[in-house]
Amino acid sequence: MRLLFLLCCCLSAALLSAQTDYPPLFAEALARTQVQVDGAMERGFLVPTPVDMAGGYTHEVHKQNWKTLSGAGAIYRLTGDTTYAAIVRDGLLAYAEVYRDWPTHPTARSYATGKVFWQCLNDANWLVYVSEAYADVYDWLEPSVRSRINAELFRPMADFLSLENPQFFNRIHNHSTWGNAAVGMIGLVMDDEELVQRALYGIPATELPEDLRDDDSGKIMSETGRAGFLAQLDLSFSPDGYFTEGPYYLRYALSPFLLFGRMLADKRPELNNLAYRDSILGKAIDALLLQADPLGDFYPLNDSQKGMSLYAPEVVKTVDYGYYLYGQDPTLLSLAIEQGSVTLDAAGLAVATAVAAGKAQPFRPGSVAFTDGPDGQEGGVGILRAYGDGEERTGLVMKYSAQGMGHGHFDKLSYSLYDGTGEVIQDYGAARWVNIDQKGGGRYLPENQTWAKQTVAHNTLVVDRTSHYQGDIRIAENFHPDLYAWDGDGDSLQLVSAVATDAYPGRRLHRSQWLLTDSLFDHPLLIDLFRVTGDTAGVYELPTWYQGQLLAADFDYTTIDTLTAMGADHGYQHLLTEARGYPEAGTATVQWFGRGRFYTQTMITQPGDELLFVRPGANDPNFNLRRDPGFLLRREGPASTTFLAVLEAHGSYDPRVEVAERPFGSISGLHLIQDDSDYTALRFTHRDGAQWTLLLSNHDASPESIHELILDDTTYRWEGVHHLIKTNDASE
């Protein structure tokens, strides 16, 4: 059906007047919205019968429609121009005319197939934003029109998303958050208390099979039996606001949390939901904004598409609501300036007004350790940040969290590293092309399960070429690593250390990582210590997925002309070995170049160690995987062993002048001088003679404990879990 709305391209008099009354950021956002709405209406408002996956024609039309309706409602609310109220009315009537006759989406490729879109999740997206538009014009509409839209569109849609799809509605998951918010928001607009209560508390759990799972094998039912919006607030976040599915999904899920939360605060103030659980939504906002790299991209933990960032449209809402509802932090204003937009509501107006008044202060995130799990007892994520010259930030992320439900990866004690150039050591993220029709209609691709989720795709230890928890979510969701030690307050040395005891039966994995800032190094140094203890022999492979071009190694290696898959499962079926080398016992170095900077990793080696240069690409007929480089340090035989590496960033290269500055690393020696159940002591040397000895207690992480260790006839005594000694510094 095609409804033509021919609107004048010029701004209405009311809109022009409104723009002059608002501060610049708000006025510009309002003007952009009017241009978008007018342009959409000039092309014609279409309501095609749904047939396409994400990225396809009908999907994109209906997606644009919710933006048009939402924008038109906001313009009417802010200007009083009834032309835009009429757009909302006529658009909703067009949907009301056809919605009930539409079958479920013909693709039938989701555990909860939608009607407007291929999955209920997108239907809920539509309803959340269109509910706002409906609220904007509700009082303007004639009662008979409201009754028709309620009866023929919104109540059937709310029932479809909830009663007809309880497996979608009753989860503790970002999907259900959207469903709860959609049903609750439209219930508030229509003053339908039954829908509001259903949204707040869910549908009785007895209506679902006990072990029903989604298409990612994640559990539908919470072990608590609870569901609904309030349960989402209680069970989706740790006490400090960490969202168990990771920042990519927190960025997505915060929208329904905040939009429904704001509407509840207005229409059901007795719930006091914005302050619920010690203001958990405010903490979630802070947690999201603190999980971005120096370029503003969110860390791609779990199922994440890379490139999602602080500057995404959804995060505009996060920043504005964080400022308006939770303390008016002036550092958020600097993010709003960089985003260049605000929401068209009281929150956006408050931000724009404060920006115009010059209240913005720099946003400078520090180190933070997040807990995971509703009670904060299921591991977490540690983020170390160090600032260098020109305020360049280096960020280290260690993941020791719970599984992350169906979106989780088998990557316990994995890490990624970032600096001012972007990714240095990467987390692969997800195998998915969001809203790209040619790549599975935007769905997760098969390789997401067979590669991206598997342990070898991450920077963490693989034992016997088997993923953590056997690559089985039913095992993984019952366990988690634990934080061993945290020291994120040091000016020159920071530590994150965690232990996993269940990733492999009978083996204890203990990883400790430091960021060391010293004037002798161009940038903060990463020190990585990975201890594994067990009772039986094993084959250990520790990958490093670097970003850049391999330059050199200090050992001989042989390239392989005929490439074949390294294994049959657990991700190895996708992995190609391009070269292999056998470094001598002692140390081995690998050097690469990435984004104008040089990197050198120095590693402790033992007799028989093998180093494999690898790249994904095997058994990938549709080229769904990126061909990113990596190397694996392989060690076979011992029941217990320790890996130690130091990574330094140094120098630069400018192709315009073709001059390389400091292309070689500075570390000339790396030694593991003691390593047992009580203590690990490591030492490394700068080529100028300076030497660092780093001590770690492996049995007592208390910051108040006193330790004593004798090394080379020297007694070292210190307080706390770790201690650094620097000697022979020629620069002092």
Side-chain angles (χ1 to χ4, degrees), residues 27-198:
E28 291 162 8
L30 181 56
R32 283 195 301 270
T33 300
Q34 197 228 10
V35 169
Q36 293 167 357
V37 172
D38 287 356
M41 300 315 298
E42 287 171 359
R43 292 188 294 272
F45 194 92
L46 306 175
V47 186
T49 300
V51 294
D52 296 313
M53 291 288 292
Y57 170 72
T58 61
H59 180 101
E60 293 305 309
V61 168
H62 291 297
K63 184 176 176 181
Q64 179 58 50
N65 284 352
W66 94 50
K67 296 179 181 179
T68 299
L69 296 171
S70 178
I75 295 171
Y76 167 69
R77 169 170 38 84
L78 292 167
T79 69
D81 188 338
T82 58
T83 302
Y84 294 93
I87 289 173
V88 177
R89 177 197 62 202
D90 294 345
L92 294 181
L93 286 172
Y95 273 99
E97 184 175 333
V98 296
Y99 179 79
R100 289 184 300 174
D101 293 331
W102 281 344
T104 55
H105 200 279
T107 54
R109 295 173 68 180
S110 171
Y111 77 102
T113 301
K115 289 186 71 173
V116 184
F117 300 95
W118 72 277
Q119 58 177 344
C120 283
L121 175 61
N122 298 100
D123 287 39
N125 295 163
W126 190 96
L127 184 53
V128 162
Y129 290 111
V130 174
S131 293
E132 289 191 296
Y134 196 35
D136 289 333
V137 304
Y138 195 80
D139 291 337
W140 176 82
L141 293 171
E142 295 179 359
S144 60
V145 173
R146 289 200 301 259
S147 296
R148 181 184 174 194
I149 293 172
N150 291 351
E152 298 182 14
L153 175 60
F154 287 131
R155 183 61 194 243
M157 185 177 286
D159 287 343
F160 174 78
L161 290 174
S162 53
L163 298 179
E164 296 179 45
N165 283 280
Q167 78 279 14
F168 165 73
F169 192 74
N170 256 44
R171 312 176 64 185
I172 302 301
H173 193 277
N174 79 79
H175 286 197
S176 293
T177 301
W178 280 98
N180 300 156
V183 170
M185 289 174 69
I186 200 61
L188 287 172
V189 177
M190 297 191 302
D191 198 22
D192 187 327
E193 188 62 21
E194 181 183 358
L195 292 183
V196 175
Q197 292 300 309
R198 190 186 301 167

Side-chain angles (χ1 to χ4, degrees), residues 513-529:
Q513 295 188 306
W514 292 264
L515 279 186
L516 171 63
T517 303
D518 191 285
S519 60
L520 287 177
F521 297 103
D522 291 352
H523 305 280
L525 206 66
L526 168 62
I527 304 165
D528 180 29
L529 176 71

Side-chain angles (χ1 to χ4, degrees), residues 227-480:
F229 188 72
L230 296 181
Q232 305 285 354
L233 288 171
D234 281 330
L235 302 176
S236 295
F237 301 100
S238 73
D240 51 22
Y242 181 76
F243 190 66
T244 193
E245 296 176 64
Y248 177 84
Y249 277 96
L250 177 57
R251 171 272 324 172
Y252 180 60
L254 266 178
S255 287
F257 275 118
L258 293 173
L259 293 174
F260 188 28
R262 183 205 66 191
M263 192 176 283
L264 282 169
D266 180 49
K267 295 181 177 293
R268 297 289 191 277
E270 68 277 6
L271 290 175
N272 199 24
N273 77 99
L274 293 177
Y276 187 81
R277 201 183 164 203
D278 195 22
S279 298
I280 193 64
L281 286 180
K283 293 179 179 181
I285 289 171
D286 291 341
L288 176 65
L289 301 180
L290 289 173
Q291 292 181 76
D293 70 17
L295 300 183
D297 292 340
F298 292 122
Y299 302 128
L301 307 179
N302 296 330
D303 282 344
S304 301
Q305 173 161 275
K306 291 190 175 184
M308 185 56 68
S309 80
L310 293 172
Y311 313 111
E314 303 96 323
V315 189
V316 171
K317 182 187 308 100
T318 301
V319 169
D320 292 357
Y321 282 35
Y323 179 83
Y324 181 63
L325 299 174
Y326 296 102
Q328 299 192 348
D329 179 356
T331 68
L332 298 185
L333 300 176
S334 63
L335 288 179
I337 293 171
E338 292 184 50
Q339 291 171 332
S341 188
V342 292
T343 55
L344 294 178
D345 56 18
L349 182 57
V351 168
T353 301
V355 167
K359 295 182 179 180
Q361 295 181 14
F363 180 71
R364 192 179 192 271
S367 298
V368 59
F370 291 110
T371 61
D372 196 4
D375 299 320
Q377 301 297 317
E378 298 179 23
V381 170
I383 303 169
L384 298 179
R385 292 185 173 96
Y387 286 83
D389 292 341
E391 282 290 277
E392 181 181 331
R393 188 196 325 158
T394 297
L396 168 70
V397 183
M398 186 198 284
K399 183 169 178 274
Y400 46 92
S401 63
Q403 183 61 21
M405 297 189 284
H407 287 301
H409 289 191
F410 303 103
D411 60 340
K412 303 312 169 190
L413 309 189
S414 67
Y415 86 99
S416 50
L417 184 70
Y418 307 83
D419 63 17
T421 71
E423 290 180 312
V424 177
I425 305 296
Q426 69 152 330
D427 187 307
Y428 186 88
R432 182 190 188 193
W433 298 63
V434 179
N435 287 333
I436 302 296
D437 189 53
Q438 299 95 315
K439 287 294 187 182
R443 302 180 72 218
Y444 287 100
L445 299 166
E447 292 79 9
N448 195 57
Q449 296 285 350
T450 58
W451 168 254
K453 289 190 174 188
Q454 301 301 319
T455 303
V456 73
H458 302 84
N459 304 292
T460 189
L461 191 68
V462 187
V463 181
D464 296 332
R465 295 197 169 176
T466 302
S467 286
H468 297 168
Y469 310 116
Q470 301 175 41
D472 187 340
I473 189 174
R474 290 170 172 79
I475 300 173
E477 62 193 2
N478 296 313
F479 302 103
H480 59 83

Side-chain angles (χ1 to χ4, degrees), residues 602-656:
T602 303
M603 298 161 281
I604 290 285
T605 52
Q606 296 182 1
D609 280 0
E610 184 177 9
L611 202 142
L612 308 173
F613 293 96
V614 297
R615 196 180 300 265
N619 296 305
D620 182 23
N622 296 315
F623 293 88
N624 288 334
L625 298 176
R626 303 190 306 270
R627 271 48 172 172
D628 296 335
F631 54 87
L632 278 67
L633 181 56
R634 186 175 190 272
R635 184 172 298 160
E636 183 173 356
S640 301
T641 193
T642 297
F643 293 86
L644 173 62
V646 176
L647 173 60
E648 51 182 319
H650 51 91
S652 63
Y653 180 78
D654 185 344
R656 292 169 295 185

